[in-house]
Amino acid sequence: MHATVFVNGRITDARDAVVSIFDHGFLYGEGVYETLRTYGRRPFLFGPHVHRLRQSAALMALDVPFTDDSLQADVDRTLAAHGGVAEAYIRILLTRGVGELSYSPAACPVPGVVIIVKDFPGQPERTFTEGIGVALVSVRRNHPETLNPRIKSNNLLNNALAMQEALRRGAEEALMQNLAGEVVECAQANVFVVRGGEVITPPVDAGLLPGITRECVLTLAREAGYACREARLTPDDVFAADEAFITGTTREVTPVVRVDDRPIGGGVPGPVTRTLLARLRALASVSASAG
């Protein structure tokens, strides 16, 4: 893998990047992360991502050992070391740190910080022009009282198992339900439906991660004049939708044209989805130019 990695202040290529096996992020999954991408080689929505990282860390009593400005400087240094002209994928990880084999936070006096930068070629353009198929998987989203979904945790087994099931079934994403059978989100994205021109997405208290792109798209939809609301959704609501799409840092606004073997709407990307994708890309372009 061609990547450039910052590990606790040291920048190397992927081959030479080393994290201790006694880091509790490795041993116990005790850590949080954020994924960003660049437009015009500038990280998009950096501030909201770092704000969510801090919220995630606070929910697990994990100290954040940097200021926003110092983290921005470290990301910029890692981007510069990576070089190239392609857009970049950026993953920021904050772990409990190295310590004894113990669940006590006191065992790890210094948090670990990792920044991964690699080329980001983007999704194939056909995913936006033709849409994708998703699978309604059997793996349910963690209940909020077992693992708070507001924590963007390094422990992604729940998501990984869901996505692996979807891939086995020939889908490009996993559509997940909570224990009540409500549609919550995808393994790597938030989900929206459009019905009668209204943009609808599940509420955070259904048990989902409040996505940065999700919030951005809701704002763009309101600015475009669409009615928007959060509402609990069943699989039948998705099947009956005029349009469906997913949102995420690497997914942007991706049309969903099929769930399992059932077409959504006309089986092609709908006008609301196309409008919101164009508006998100326009915002990203302006943000890149502003730098």
Side-chain angles (χ1 to χ4, degrees), residues 34-47 49 52 72 75-76 79 85-92 116-125 128 212-213 248-254 277 280-281 284-285 287-288:
E34 285 291 326
T35 298
L36 300 88
R37 62 153 294 181
T38 65
Y39 292 86
R41 296 288 292 178
R42 291 181 56 80
F44 183 50
L45 298 175
F46 181 83
H49 277 286
R52 186 174 64 178
Q72 176 78 72
V75 168
D76 289 345
L79 272 167
V85 296
E87 298 296 356
Y89 167 102
I90 304 165
R91 192 179 186 97
I92 302 167
I116 300 170
V117 173
K118 65 184 186 71
D119 290 351
F120 179 68
Q123 300 293 327
E125 193 58 24
F128 303 107
I212 302 301
T213 307
T249 295
T250 61
R251 289 288 194 178
E252 298 183 304
V253 177
T254 300
L277 173 61
L280 179 65
R281 287 178 168 177
S285 179
S287 177

Side-chain angles (χ1 to χ4, degrees), residues 47-102:
H49 277 286
V50 178
H51 179 70
R52 186 174 64 178
L53 184 75
R54 290 184 179 280
Q55 289 182 320
S56 293
L59 288 169
M60 56 180 290
L62 174 57
D63 289 338
V64 179
F66 47 71
T67 66
D68 290 9
D69 288 344
S70 67
L71 178 62
Q72 176 78 72
D74 289 336
V75 168
D76 289 345
R77 286 200 299 127
T78 310
L79 272 167
H82 185 67
V85 296
E87 298 296 356
Y89 167 102
I90 304 165
R91 192 179 186 97
I92 302 167
L93 302 99
L94 174 64
T95 74
R96 186 74 71 189
V98 176
E100 295 294 330
L101 302 181
S102 167

